[in-house]
Amino acid sequence: MDDGGRDDDGTMTCGSCGWQVAGADLAEARVRWTFGTERGRTVWACERCSRQHARSIEGKLDSAWW
Ligand SMILES: [Zn+2]
């Protein structure tokens, strides 16, 4: 099996912290996680890491938003 980053093999792996979800958690993860592309690969970021990234990128966001 390929390493993380793919969303078509039944698992999703966070590219930042390595958190992996599978099975029943996938549907929710697909909604809540975000993804970007790094060097041609799809890289997922879990809920928690997404928040941290969003904060560092958009420092102006009200903390109440999250
Ligand atoms: Zn993560």
Side-chain angles (χ1 to χ4, degrees):
M1 199 173 280
D2 292 326
D3 58 356
R6 294 173 63 95
D7 65 351
D8 60 354
D9 64 357
T11 63
M12 281 166 59
T13 304
C14 175
S16 297
C17 70
W19 187 15
Q20 196 170 65
V21 294
D25 293 333
L26 269 179
E28 192 173 341
R30 280 175 202 246
V31 175
R32 297 193 174 196
W33 289 27
T34 59
F35 69 90
T37 305
E38 272 180 25
R39 292 176 218 138
R41 291 185 53 197
T42 301
V43 180
W44 285 92
C46 72
E47 227 178 312
R48 226 165 53 179
C49 293
S50 298
R51 275 179 220 171
Q52 288 175 354
H53 290 321
R55 273 185 198 226
S56 60
I57 293 169
E58 304 190 40
K60 283 186 283 190
L61 265 185
D62 188 343
S63 57
W65 178 263
W66 298 106

